[in-house]
Amino acid sequence: MTTARDLFIIAMDPAPERTVGQGDLSLALAGAELLDLLDAGAVTVDGDLVVPGGSSVPDDRLLAAAAAEITRQPPHERVEDWLWRRGRDLAAAYQDALEEDGELTRKRSGLLPFGPKEVELVDTPARRRATARREQGDPVLASLASAVGLDGERPEGEEPGLGDETVTTVVATVHEAVMELEAVRQRRTIENTAFANVWRGP
């Protein structure tokens, strides 16, 4: 299993602290993938640039797809730019992959047999591993989870236990990207409200 898959699984928990937005989760998943690629030696981070590392291809198919998207030639991509590019619709890609792997199943909501279907986690070894990793306080998983609000709010700059400077850089960039996305949402809400008020008139 990968950090990205573990993050998606705990985000799908039936009773999270709050619902995770697809955009927020996609950005965090892209960050988790980058950390997985760093751990595998497939990339390095030079300052804030994502630089290709070894030629090994990760076993996980989603991680292999992420590795294939790394910019191979200079100028290399900034971590922030990688998050936004790779993160586009990434949560949906993980949902599809976990459904294919039998980690998620669909059930109908409500009483009607033709009602909408919702996805829920299956009790699998992968789910138990992800849950155990969260309960044990894995610092990387906890930091990524906190970025999307799964483990409450942390004081700014407080990421205990990460240790590695590169990991800290990636996690901090995920937090910044999620905050930027929230700012965009708020701005659009304000603009839409103002537009509606204009049409309603005094």
Side-chain angles (χ1 to χ4, degrees):
M1 291 295 291
T2 65
T3 298
R5 283 180 180 261
D6 288 348
L7 178 63
F8 186 88
I9 287 172
I10 66 172
M12 289 294 297
D13 187 282
E17 283 78 355
R18 70 176 178 87
T19 303
V20 180
Q22 291 290 298
D24 296 353
L25 182 57
S26 291
L27 288 169
L29 287 169
E33 285 186 336
L34 187 55
L35 293 174
D36 286 329
L37 292 174
L38 280 163
D39 190 54
V43 300
T44 60
V45 173
D46 182 6
D48 67 344
L49 299 178
V50 181
V51 180
S55 57
S56 60
V57 178
D59 292 334
D60 183 90
R61 67 181 183 279
L62 284 167
L63 205 54
E69 290 190 19
I70 296 294
T71 302
R72 297 287 164 183
Q73 302 297 326
H76 296 298
E77 199 167 28
R78 295 168 59 236
V79 172
E80 180 182 5
D81 295 333
W82 159 264
L83 296 180
W84 288 104
R85 181 171 65 85
R86 174 61 184 167
R88 186 179 298 274
D89 298 325
L90 193 55
Y94 270 82
Q95 178 174 318
D96 291 343
L98 267 68
E99 282 190 64
E100 290 176 14
D101 294 345
E103 303 290 340
L104 291 174
T105 186
R106 287 184 177 268
K107 68 170 185 177
R108 293 199 182 278
S109 61
L111 300 176
L112 299 177
F114 48 82
K117 289 186 176 181
E118 297 178 348
V119 293
E120 64 176 11
L121 289 166
V122 178
D123 186 18
T124 63
R127 180 185 182 183
R128 291 191 290 272
R129 283 195 300 268
T131 301
R133 185 177 176 187
R134 181 187 189 185
E135 290 174 349
Q136 291 163 7
D138 179 278
V140 172
L141 187 60
S143 295
L144 290 169
S146 80
V148 295
L150 285 174
D151 287 331
E153 299 296 330
R154 294 172 185 264
E156 185 176 352
E158 183 180 327
E159 293 296 343
L162 289 177
D164 186 90
E165 182 178 347
T166 300
V167 174
T168 301
T169 296
V170 173
V171 169
T173 306
V174 170
H175 278 257
E176 291 167 3
V178 170
M179 287 190 293
E180 183 179 341
L181 182 59
E182 178 59 26
V184 170
R185 288 196 196 101
Q186 292 179 3
R187 187 165 61 247
R188 286 178 178 172
T189 298
I190 292 170
E191 291 171 351
N192 290 339
T193 300
F195 184 75
N197 288 338
V198 168
W199 278 102
R200 281 197 295 266

